[in-house]
Amino acid sequence: MKIAVLGGGNGSFAAAGDFALQGHDVRLWRRDIEQALAHRTEGSRIIVKDSNGRHDVRLALVTTEIGDAVDQAELIVCPVPAFAQAEIAKQLAPRLRDGQVVFLPPGTFGTMIFASALRDAGNPASISVAETGTLPWLTRKHGPFEVAITVRAKRLPVGVFPLRTADHALSVIGRAFPGVIEPCGDALSGALMNAGPIIHPPLIIMNAGPIEHFESWDIHKEGTQAAIRRVTDALDAERIAVREALGYGAPHFPLAHHYAKEGEIWMYGRGTHERLTDSGDWRERIVLTEHRYMREDLQIGLSFLASVAELAGISTPLARSFLAIGGAICGEDFVSTGRTLDSLGLGDMDRGSLQRLLREGFTR
């Protein structure tokens, strides 16, 4: 299968390396010219380290030309932070062709950014854009051409835009993630599965003191205490209430299952919290005003949740509280600078109109 991977961060390296390890034809697009050149000089290889050892895999192409990366690709995977989606969507849109599937793991409703970019570019191609609730790998880069995969996802709830193309999109994505994909309806349902805005804002805000005091801090080890877990569960209850108010059914993948030793299996399976903390890869320096936990998960993720909650008629006091505190830390108004239905061009739609758009797509 021909797969294009966009980006040069942890998730993009894990995707490119893991797909190549499975035997797929993988092309990696990187924005940084010097890094792409250095990568090609090293033979377009990625070292993948996982529980089975160390694997040296070769990519079909490493390029700074996005058109070369996505040409003839059946699946285009874009695991970049949400704040990078608009720029990439604009570059990608003119180059998309009928039948291609763009997959955002996760997306924070970035599906609409990519679909809108296609429309704005005047590209008549019939494509699908899909997103899921988490990055399919717990992963960190260990070097310029090396990535460690601690855990691979066991269940990935995926929503598709437009929903009428779901069978095709899920079939294509399923070939890259065999036995893992679970349909969850439309793209908004997929966006409301996103775990990042639930797990990370309480961890960085309630651990702000030690994060700024110590040279490095593991928010998932020392930072995950009972009081914070109770807040995380309450914040997740706001997300689930929004899903239910919009008519989305179970499973809702409550974050509590990530930590549980019994009951329903979460996206990463059982025992992954311990494997994550044991790896030591998440003991890191976090600059609160810059880190993606603040900029992607809190500023963008929670502003989006609060916006959709307003449409659904659901109160989200915790989401709005974290937006206020995070904004104060960064000296910004996160409600106005984040991602909302209005900023996505959907603010004038009622629930019925939005649901029709999610099902049918933009009018040709």
Side-chain angles (χ1 to χ4, degrees):
M1 182 180 186
K2 291 186 177 180
I3 303 176
V5 176
L6 310 182
N10 297 312
S12 298
F13 261 54
D18 209 24
F19 293 146
L21 189 60
Q22 294 178 45
H24 296 295
D25 181 301
V26 182
R27 302 174 188 178
L28 177 65
W29 173 77
R30 305 188 64 172
R31 285 174 287 187
D32 190 293
I33 295 174
E34 290 186 4
Q35 291 180 1
L37 178 60
H39 203 161
R40 287 199 298 268
T41 302
E42 287 294 317
S44 299
R45 288 187 170 90
I46 291 180
I47 303 298
V48 178
K49 299 191 297 184
D50 62 11
S51 58
N52 294 318
R54 182 183 176 93
H55 317 275
D56 187 342
V57 299
R58 185 186 294 271
L59 308 181
L61 179 68
V62 175
T63 181
T64 57
E65 297 294 333
I66 199 167
D68 292 342
V70 304
D71 182 42
Q72 298 184 35
E74 297 173 77
L75 177 64
I76 301 165
V77 180
C78 186
V80 303
F83 49 75
Q85 289 170 343
E87 177 190 343
I88 293 175
K90 188 175 181 179
Q91 293 187 55
L92 178 65
R95 297 164 174 85
L96 292 170
R97 299 293 179 264
D98 284 342
Q100 290 184 307
V101 177
V102 179
F103 186 41
L104 312 177
T108 323
F109 213 36
T111 47
M112 298 309 301
I113 291 176
F114 281 80
S116 297
L118 183 78
R119 177 198 59 189
D120 295 344
N123 187 344
S126 176
I127 70 159
S128 304
V129 190
E131 61 182 271
T132 186
T134 190
L135 189 68
W137 309 269
L138 286 176
T139 183
R140 283 292 187 269
K141 290 172 71 174
H142 279 188
F145 316 111
E146 185 173 302
V147 65
I149 296 176
T150 302
V151 174
R152 292 174 174 86
K154 304 297 189 293
R155 303 175 67 191
L156 286 176
V158 176
V160 179
F161 179 87
L163 183 59
R164 60 180 173 77
T165 68
D167 287 347
H168 168 68
L170 294 169
S171 173
V172 171
I173 298 169
R175 288 161 59 198
F177 298 95
V180 175
I181 300 303
E182 298 186 22
C184 72
D186 62 37
L188 182 55
S189 176
L192 291 171
M193 290 293 191
N194 194 349
I198 306 303
I199 190 171
H200 292 137
L203 288 178
I204 62 169
I205 298 300
M206 299 178 75
N207 282 287
I211 284 173
E212 291 201 330
H213 177 74
F214 294 108
E215 183 64 27
S216 61
W217 182 258
D218 190 334
I219 60 172
H220 296 288
K221 194 166 188 176
E222 296 90 350
T224 301
Q225 300 300 327
I228 297 176
R229 282 284 301 109
R230 290 195 291 273
V231 173
T232 303
D233 285 346
L235 179 60
D236 204 26
E238 294 181 357
R239 175 189 69 89
I240 293 173
V242 173
R243 285 185 52 80
E244 292 176 336
L246 292 175
Y248 298 123
H252 299 297
F253 288 84
L255 187 61
H257 292 166
H258 169 61
Y259 299 96
K261 299 187 184 302
E262 57 186 23
E264 186 178 343
I265 299 293
W266 198 67
M267 298 184 204
Y268 288 130
R270 189 80 70 212
T272 53
H273 177 71
E274 291 74 17
R275 292 173 66 183
L276 182 153
T277 55
D278 289 347
S279 73
D281 281 348
W282 279 260
R283 183 170 300 284
E284 57 191 341
R285 176 168 171 74
I286 296 175
V287 179
L288 284 174
T289 56
E290 302 172 3
H291 201 278
R292 71 171 185 85
Y293 294 159
M294 180 72 79
R295 294 298 179 176
E296 176 178 30
D297 294 325
L298 201 158
Q299 180 181 13
I300 294 178
L302 287 186
S303 61
F304 175 71
L305 177 62
S307 173
V308 178
E310 188 173 351
L311 177 71
I314 298 297
S315 175
T316 53
L318 276 173
R320 291 191 175 276
S321 296
F322 282 120
L323 282 166
I325 297 171
I329 289 173
C330 296
E332 298 179 32
D333 178 3
F334 278 178
V335 174
S336 62
T337 63
R339 180 174 295 178
T340 63
L341 291 173
D342 191 53
S343 72
L344 292 168
L346 306 173
D348 293 334
M349 288 189 168
D350 59 21
R351 287 174 56 175
S353 298
L354 180 58
Q355 288 170 339
R356 283 192 295 275
L357 173 65
L358 293 170
R359 183 176 62 251
E360 301 298 330
F362 292 109
T363 302
R364 293 288 180 90

